[in-house]
Amino acid sequence: MNSRFPKNFLWGASSSAFQIEGAWDEDAKGMTVADYNSFQRSAIQADSKVASDFYHHWKEDIALMKELGMQIYRFSLSWARMIPDGDGAVNPAGIAFYRQVIDELLDNGIEPVVTLYHFDLPYALVEKYNGWEDRRCVRAFERYARLCFETFGDKVKYWQAINEQNLMIRVNERMNIRETDAWKADKIRAQMDYHMFLAHALAVSACHEMVKGGKIGPAVSASCTYPLTNKPQDIWAARMNDCMKAVYCLDMHYYGEYPGYYMRYLKERGIVPAMREADQEILKAGRMDYIALNYYRTLCASFLPADPGHPAGMRVFRTNEVDFDQYGCCRDEKNENLKASEYGAQIDPMGLRLVLNDYYSRYRLPMMITENGLGSPDVLTGDGKVHDSYRIDYLREHLNACAEALEDGVELIGYSPWSFLDLLSSHQGFRKRYGLVYVNREDMDLKDMKRIKKDSFYWYQKVIRTNGEDW
Ligand code: BG6
């Protein structure tokens, strides 16, 4: 049997700093927005203080990555570990930690794929500037990015500047938006979003200047929305949902300007951000090289005409609830044709083939899947095993969608599921697990933190070994 994956296809697995590292204030690391938010829930679930304790288990974890056969490892650096207060002194211990991780990966034949910022803005920048609302945060990010390129640029080729800006911006908590008036909150949000685009573009240009052969792009939370019916309004609602949730972002990273419908939204809502003329050049120069794509599920939408309760022109930025566009709004619907995970995500491998084709036809850029996986409450059996056949089914079906997309002509260069090991899920702590490797802890009981290979680990090991021939 011939593999449906190219010979040089990159197989890996993913994680992010605050979700695995722990050691939240060890060796001078500063607090982050992600830490702050997780501490708000400390009384009811796990927080980022220990997480999966990668900070103290990295050697053992990398040995497991090698055993799995991983060729890439997608993870993030913690900005506040490198520069505790965001824009002040550099922390040598932070650099030393990531240096040893990167070296250990390379010594084990695993290529590091690095995200600079995964939901964990240094909290000091919130205190100083209200974070991304202030332009000084843009320069702070550029400085941090340059530090990373200078320090690790000879060892890391694939970079992602920001993880899921398109999703993060809609979640007040992740942006530290405390404003309760909806319009004022949207105004702040639009300014923050714009500043992040600028920061992204500056990081792209810095990478091109400093990292020989470096490739950098955004990690986007893919959005694929089906219309509930074939009514043209429902089709419009579904399409606009994807445009307002993901495509306008990709357009910014590619063309360096907002698409027309997005500018129209900003104007009608009265929230056009402050921009400087010179920004144009920065945005256009910072074109992404590839798209890192995070995909979990699809959505389904119907059109709701505008009414006084939700006036036309207004849009609520929330992930799964009601989204508004200029012509009314789009209501989140259940898709009766799809089964859902225990946590309500509609499982849809075909949707992955659809977004891969859609994004490829829009930008003709290589893509790498940097997140895809099933969150589930796994059970450790008496004999110390985790039989997660549901995860194997999920991954197998999504890999099949990748193979289809490759055959459709999409330039897919790698697959790195979420996640390598169990980690801190924002709303479900360690109750919802994604890992190929089980971490023996519960939300309120650290147990022994032992690493246990799940059935999906052995299955994926075979997939990698056979370059996707045997799954
Ligand atoms: C992605 C994030 O949006 O979804 C990850 O990049 C996150 O950080 C993943 O863990 C799954 O979401 P959750 O809420 O189930 O942890």
Side-chain angles (χ1 to χ4, degrees):
M1 199 170 109
N2 283 329
S3 174
R4 298 165 75 193
F5 294 87
K7 270 204 189 69
N8 54 355
F9 194 74
L10 299 167
W11 297 98
S14 300
S15 73
S16 91
F18 81 94
Q19 292 175 282
I20 62 161
E21 284 179 5
W24 78 278
D25 63 350
E26 225 171 294
D27 296 332
K29 175 182 166 291
M31 185 169 74
T32 70
V33 169
D35 293 326
Y36 176 87
N37 289 328
S38 88
F39 299 163
Q40 307 309 304
R41 300 190 181 89
S42 295
I44 50 164
Q45 67 177 48
D47 59 24
S48 61
K49 285 188 180 134
V50 178
S52 316
D53 204 24
F54 178 79
Y55 197 75
H56 301 109
H57 289 252
W58 57 272
K59 223 174 162 59
E60 166 192 353
D61 288 341
I62 294 173
L64 279 169
M65 292 178 198
K66 184 178 184 184
E67 186 182 337
L68 181 58
M70 280 164 56
Q71 296 153 356
I72 53 171
Y73 174 43
R74 184 266 186 163
F75 63 104
S76 73
L77 308 180
S78 168
W79 181 350
R81 208 178 275 295
M82 301 276 290
I83 308 174
D85 73 351
D87 60 355
V90 172
N91 177 22
I95 294 195
F97 173 66
Y98 291 119
R99 181 166 281 138
Q100 65 190 2
V101 167
I102 289 172
D103 286 346
E104 185 76 7
L105 287 168
L106 292 169
D107 287 350
N108 283 283
I110 302 165
E111 181 172 356
V113 171
V114 172
T115 309
L116 293 175
Y117 163 43
H118 191 123
F119 304 159
D120 53 355
L121 188 74
Y123 200 77
L125 294 176
V126 171
E127 290 170 328
K128 281 189 264 193
Y129 312 133
N130 198 27
W132 290 107
E133 192 178 357
D134 193 301
R135 221 179 151 93
R136 280 170 289 187
C137 199
V138 176
R139 287 299 170 188
F141 183 75
E142 188 195 7
R143 175 171 174 263
Y144 161 59
R146 284 183 175 272
L147 172 69
C148 298
F149 300 146
E150 189 183 291
T151 316
F152 307 120
D154 56 337
K155 297 180 173 167
V156 179
K157 178 174 162 204
Y158 283 107
W159 298 85
Q160 289 131 43
I162 302 179
N163 180 69
E164 297 187 349
Q165 174 180 337
N166 64 314
L167 184 138
M168 189 181 1
I169 195 69
R170 298 198 303 272
V171 185
N172 286 357
E173 180 184 278
R174 294 218 189 276
M175 301 307 299
N176 209 68
I177 297 178
R178 307 277 165 213
E179 176 59 60
T180 49
D181 177 274
W183 179 81
K184 285 186 190 153
D186 279 353
K187 193 162 169 54
I188 296 170
R189 188 186 329 279
Q191 190 65 60
M192 288 180 161
D193 204 21
Y194 178 72
H195 282 154
M196 285 167 81
F197 285 124
L198 267 185
H200 195 286
L202 286 164
V204 169
S205 294
C207 180
H208 291 161
E209 174 197 319
M210 300 172 72
V211 181
K212 200 161 161 263
K215 301 276 177 213
I216 184 164
V220 67
S221 168
S223 175
C224 176
T225 312
Y226 301 123
L228 183 66
T229 72
N230 60 5
K231 275 191 246 159
Q233 285 97 331
D234 285 351
I235 292 167
W236 174 257
R239 192 163 301 171
M240 285 314 287
N241 193 47
D242 291 337
C243 283
M244 301 290 263
K245 277 188 178 160
V247 174
Y248 86 95
C249 267
L250 290 171
D251 274 12
M252 273 299 261
H253 295 310
Y254 190 79
Y255 298 110
E257 58 187 30
Y258 288 116
Y261 59 83
Y262 204 80
M263 241 357 248
R264 177 179 178 180
Y265 156 70
L266 293 172
K267 280 185 188 152
E268 288 182 2
R269 183 98 172 104
I271 55 171
V272 178
M275 306 175 183
R276 295 184 189 163
E277 220 177 298
D279 293 350
Q280 274 306 305
E281 210 178 309
I282 296 172
L283 289 167
K284 287 194 184 291
R287 175 175 286 187
M288 60 186 174
D289 299 314
Y290 72 104
I291 300 172
L293 193 138
N294 298 348
Y295 175 89
Y296 289 91
R297 48 130 170 237
T298 52
L299 299 171
C300 182
S302 69
F303 180 81
L304 268 184
D307 73 23
H310 39 77
M314 178 179 149
R315 182 159 75 102
V316 174
F317 286 76
R318 274 188 234 144
T319 324
N320 299 316
E321 299 168 23
V322 181
D323 255 9
F324 294 81
D325 68 47
Q326 297 90 333
Y327 303 95
C329 63
C330 148
R331 186 168 61 190
D332 191 32
E333 304 279 359
K334 186 170 162 28
N335 188 332
E336 300 295 343
N337 302 299
L338 299 174
K339 51 185 184 185
S341 78
E342 225 161 300
Y343 292 95
Q346 294 177 152
I347 300 174
D348 183 8
M350 177 60 121
L352 177 56
R353 183 178 176 189
L354 277 167
V355 277
L356 285 168
N357 272 281
D358 181 25
Y359 294 174
Y360 191 66
S361 67
R362 283 174 192 273
Y363 309 105
R364 295 283 157 145
L365 287 178
M367 279 180 277
M368 181 192 287
I369 293 177
T370 41
E371 290 186 30
N372 174 230
L374 182 72
S376 173
D378 296 330
V379 177
L380 183 62
T381 56
D383 56 350
K385 305 237 185 308
V386 180
H387 301 303
D388 56 344
S389 56
Y390 37 87
R391 181 165 295 108
I392 295 175
D393 290 345
Y394 179 99
L395 295 174
R396 181 189 286 120
E397 286 166 15
H398 286 78
L399 269 179
N400 188 49
C402 292
E404 295 287 350
L406 278 160
E407 285 155 15
D408 295 333
V410 170
E411 217 180 317
L412 181 65
I413 58 173
Y415 181 75
S416 185
W418 191 257
S419 49
F420 169 64
L421 80 174
D422 288 341
L423 42 71
L424 181 70
S425 160
S426 7
H427 293 285
Q428 285 90 11
F430 274 78
R431 292 191 303 287
K432 177 160 69 170
R433 294 171 183 265
Y434 285 91
L436 300 162
V437 174
Y438 187 88
V439 176
N440 192 31
R441 65 159 291 177
E442 302 292 340
D443 268 343
M444 308 313 270
D445 180 357
L446 290 178
K447 297 191 167 173
D448 57 8
M449 304 296 288
K450 198 170 159 214
R451 278 47 179 157
I452 296 158
K453 291 167 256 178
K454 300 184 191 177
D455 287 359
S456 55
F457 178 98
Y458 296 106
W459 171 81
Y460 190 50
Q461 189 181 47
K462 198 164 60 181
V463 171
I464 299 179
R465 200 174 46 233
T466 61
N467 194 34
E469 263 188 50
D470 190 353
W471 62 25

